[in-house]
Structures are given as C-alpha cells and as structure tokens.
C-alpha cells in the first residue's frame, strides 16, 4: 500500500521553516478533514511518493498567483516581492482553493519540470573534457529529457570560475561554477536539439509561467537565473521534440553528423523518471552508434535526498557528473558549485575518488 497522501505532504520537508513547509502541514490536515484539498486531490489518493503530488499542487497554486488571479496570496511569495509571514498564509489559501478546483485537479496530472539551467555549469565541465579527449571542437549537442531546452544553450551563457570564463560575455545569464580547475576550450555547437515526453514551449507566456511555478518562491537566485535563461531561449528558439528518449535518440543517431563533428548526448536528473527498459534501450543505442561516429555521453544523475533539516552535503547527496560512465565531479542538484577531485594537470582523468 502506498503511503497515505497526507503523510507524503507532511513528510516532504518535515519542517515549517519556509512557506511550503507550513502550507503542506495545513494541506495535509485539510485533506484528512475532507476540506477543499480533499476535493482537489480526490483522484490522487493512491499516488506514490515518486509522483510528488504535493509539488504538483503547490506549483498549480503558484501558477494562479503568477497570473494575478489570486492577488491576496501575492504577499506570501518572496519572488513577487512579498514579505508576509508564512504562518499567516493558510487561511488565505484555503479560501482560494474552491474557486480553482478544476485547474488544480488537472495540475496534479502533470509532472514537475524545473529545467534547472544551473546544471549547464556542471555539464560544460564534461563538455570540455569530451572535446579535449577526442580533439574535435565542433559539437552536435543532443539532450534527453530536455523539458524546455534551456540546457541546450551553454555557449550562450557566461560560465566562469576562479581565473576563467567561457561563453557569451554579454549574456543575461552568468553561471559561476566556483571551480578553479576547469579549463575551458574553444568549441562550436553546430547543431542542438532535444526531446521530452512533455516539452515546454517558452516562447509562450503559458510555458514561461509553467516553468516558473516549479521554482520555490523564496529561492530568489533560482528565479533570477530562470528569468535570464528564458530571455536567452526566447531570442534563440531551439526545437524540443515530443518523444521518448530511446525512440528519439535512435532517430538522431541514425543521421550521422558531417565528418569532424563530435556528437554529445547529455542528460541531467532525468533517468530516475524513466522505466528500466528505457534506460537500457538508450544505452544500447549509444553503444551501437559509437561504432559509427565520434560520440560522448554526459550524464548528471542522482536522486535528490529527502528535504529534511539535516543539511545538504554535496559529496554525500549531490548528483555525479559522468563522461561515458567515468565520474568527473559532483555538484548540487540545482547546479553549482562544481566539485572536482584529484584533477591532474589539464585533464579531469585523475578524478577517481568519487564513488560510483
């Protein structure tokens, strides 16, 4: 039997230190009491923790606030300039819920998508190493689980660390890796594209609001980062196809690039949502394609820990950046800082001590 939905709500954070921690406690109580939360969640009572119904609900509420349809809630959202105490929010939210039941119920059927663009700062470390190892600096970049495609623009961001910078100097988005030992290389992305089961179109206001709604409202730096990335994406639209990863990558790899171009397939925090056969099929397609073309696979994967109060230790909890299966670094799930270990000279090949 799945954990009761109300318990999933209470256990997601397990504390009341910010707006969502406070609201999830009240939403859980209201769910059990048969209040408006119960009406919203009536079709999701058998959901499992991996479905993250609580995050879907909070994001659906946030979208209503972002559209200006619940101005009485705006004072509680720091990213919108609000400073009201979180403990005062529940009575206001409870009064709002009955007016939006249909939309909120529909919102529970769509999985969270943050498209964390900070992950580009991590992935580029592997990008440099892939180019260094192959000697090919013209890149075809393919992303699996690309969401809105924000991580398909790494060269259009300004990525830096102590003593180095790379990318577009005047980009609205600056990403600081905090890693001095990364050595950038000159390279050109000659083609870029991605796939997702539910792509988000950021050329539309609806798409931009949708992504924004999954960024927690008190995390102002993440909101600023997303807003800057959305500006880049609107100026440089990139195609994200609606397709499963294995089906899409097979089709892409059946069309080899021109000679001298390195194909890089990358992904970040997506495999945890795939069925086992999907991962196996993707890996099989990559292995077969290596016999026909220069190819590198970059992954930034790791299941986030429970959102407790015991702190987030990157070396314990952070995802691992891997190049063709070899661990290169760890980072935060949202991106920087990037932690390299035992870097030798001008290569990452000395990174051996990070556990698989």
């Amino acid at each position: 039997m799945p954990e009761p939905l109300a318990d999933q709500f209470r256990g997601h954070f397990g504390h009341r230190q910010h707006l969502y921690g406070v609201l999830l406690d009240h939403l859980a109580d209201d769910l059990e009491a048969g209040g408006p939360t119960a009406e919203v969640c009536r079709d999701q009572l058998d959901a499992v923790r991996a479905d993250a119904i609580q995050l879907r609900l909070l994001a659906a509420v946030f979208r209503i606030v972002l559209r200006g349809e619940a101005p009485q809630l705006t004072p509680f959202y720091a990213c919108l300039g609000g400073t009201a105490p979180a403990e005062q929010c529940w009575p206001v939210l409870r009064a709002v819920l009955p007016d939006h039941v249909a939309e909120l119920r529909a919102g529970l059927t769509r999985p969270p998508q943050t498209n964390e663009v900070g992950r580009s700062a991590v992935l580029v470390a592997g990008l440099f190493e892939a180019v260094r190892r192959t000697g090919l600096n013209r890149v075809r970049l393919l992303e699996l689980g690309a969401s809105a495609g924000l991580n398909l623009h790494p060269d259009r961001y300004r990525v830096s660390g102590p003593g180095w910078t790379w990318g577009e100097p005047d980009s609205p988005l600056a990403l600081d890796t905090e890693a001095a030992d990364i050595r950038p290389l000159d390279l050109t992305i000659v083609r870029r594209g991605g796939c997702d089961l539910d792509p988000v179109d950021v050329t539309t206001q609806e798409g931009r609001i949708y992504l924004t709604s999954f960024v927690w409202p008190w995390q102002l730096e993440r909101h600023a980062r997303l807003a800057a990335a959305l500006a880049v994406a609107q100026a440089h639209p990139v195609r994200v196809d609606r397709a499963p990863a294995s089906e899409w990558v097979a089709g892409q790899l059946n069309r080899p690039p021109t000679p001298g171009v390195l194909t890089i397939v990358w992904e970040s925090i997506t495999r945890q949502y795939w069925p086992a056969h999907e991962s196996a099929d993707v890996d099989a397609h990559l292995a077969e394609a290596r016999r026909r073309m220069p190819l590198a696979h970059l992954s930034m994967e790791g299941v986030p820990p429970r959102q407790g109060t015991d702190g987030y230790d990157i070396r314990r909890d952070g995802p691992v950046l891997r190049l063709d299966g070899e661990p290169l670094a760890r980072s935060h799930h949202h991106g920087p800082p990037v932690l390299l270990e035992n870097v030798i000279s001008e290569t990452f090949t000395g990174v051996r001590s990070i556990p698989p």
Side-chain angles (χ1 to χ4, degrees):
M1 291 290 294
E3 181 181 9
L5 193 58
D7 290 348
Q8 294 180 40
F9 282 22
R10 294 189 184 97
H12 186 85
F13 293 108
H15 61 74
R16 298 167 63 98
Q17 295 177 1
H18 49 58
L19 178 64
Y20 281 5
V22 170
L23 289 182
L24 283 177
D25 265 4
H26 288 294
L27 287 163
D29 292 343
D30 191 59
L31 174 59
E32 291 176 332
T37 309
E39 177 67 11
V40 170
C41 298
R42 70 184 187 191
D43 299 327
Q44 306 295 335
L45 298 179
D46 293 330
V48 297
R49 179 171 288 274
D51 293 329
I53 296 300
Q54 60 274 16
L55 297 185
R56 301 184 192 202
L57 175 56
L58 291 166
V61 170
F62 195 4
R63 288 194 287 278
I64 295 167
V65 177
L66 288 166
R67 294 199 306 265
E69 296 175 11
Q72 61 271 52
L73 284 172
T74 301
F76 300 98
Y77 285 74
C79 61
L80 301 178
T83 58
E87 293 288 349
Q88 297 177 12
C89 185
W90 169 243
V92 183
L93 175 57
R94 193 181 190 282
V96 167
L97 293 178
D99 295 332
H100 300 275
V101 169
E103 178 182 347
L104 295 173
R105 188 180 295 143
L108 301 187
T109 66
R110 299 187 67 184
Q113 292 201 55
T114 57
N115 205 183
E116 288 287 350
V117 72
R119 294 169 186 162
S120 282
V122 186
L123 291 163
V124 295
L127 175 63
F128 298 148
E129 180 63 3
V131 168
R132 181 177 289 110
R133 292 184 183 187
T134 62
L136 301 174
N137 64 359
R138 289 168 55 79
V139 171
R140 173 174 66 157
L141 184 60
L142 307 176
E143 184 176 17
L144 309 179
S147 187
L150 300 186
N151 285 313
L152 284 166
H153 301 281
D155 53 330
R156 293 169 176 150
Y157 306 141
R158 186 170 76 256
V159 188
S160 66
W164 66 273
T165 60
W166 179 83
E168 178 56 53
D170 298 323
S171 176
L173 177 58
L175 298 171
D176 183 0
T177 67
E178 303 181 32
D181 292 315
I182 294 176
R183 295 170 179 82
L185 296 177
D186 290 331
L187 59 92
T188 302
I189 298 176
V190 298
R191 183 178 175 277
R192 65 194 86 206
C195 71
D196 198 274
L197 291 177
D198 188 19
V200 179
D201 183 359
V202 294
T203 66
T204 68
Q205 183 181 22
E206 179 184 2
R208 295 190 293 274
I209 286 176
Y210 189 73
L211 283 188
T212 302
S213 72
F214 285 105
V215 179
W216 297 339
W218 62 92
Q219 295 182 329
L220 303 186
E221 182 178 357
R222 288 177 66 201
H223 276 280
R225 198 158 61 193
L226 175 59
L230 290 174
V232 172
Q234 288 179 265
H236 303 279
V238 64
R239 178 172 174 172
V240 178
D241 296 318
R242 185 180 300 273
S246 58
E247 173 187 308
W248 184 83
V249 79
Q252 296 296 312
L253 296 177
N254 282 336
R255 297 191 289 272
T258 57
V261 171
L262 171 64
T263 295
I264 292 183
V265 178
W266 78 15
E267 74 213 34
S268 58
I269 318 299
T270 185
R271 290 209 178 205
Q272 68 196 62
Y273 304 111
W274 297 358
H277 68 81
E278 182 76 345
S279 289
D281 289 347
V282 167
D283 292 341
H285 292 313
L286 294 174
E288 190 278 330
R290 291 181 194 281
R291 299 195 289 267
R292 297 183 284 106
M293 69 185 74
L295 184 146
H297 175 220
L298 282 168
S299 65
M300 175 190 169
E301 297 288 2
V303 178
R306 283 178 176 251
Q307 303 293 323
T309 58
D310 58 344
Y312 182 107
D313 184 335
I314 287 177
R315 296 206 179 277
R316 178 192 67 204
D317 303 318
V320 180
L321 173 68
R322 288 185 171 88
L323 171 58
D324 296 328
E326 177 185 347
L328 299 181
R330 279 193 185 269
S331 67
H332 194 282
H333 279 81
H334 297 157
V338 181
L339 302 183
L340 309 173
E341 291 192 2
N342 301 334
V343 178
I344 298 176
S345 184
E346 295 188 357
T347 181
F348 296 127
T349 56
V351 181
R352 301 294 183 189
S353 61
I354 297 174

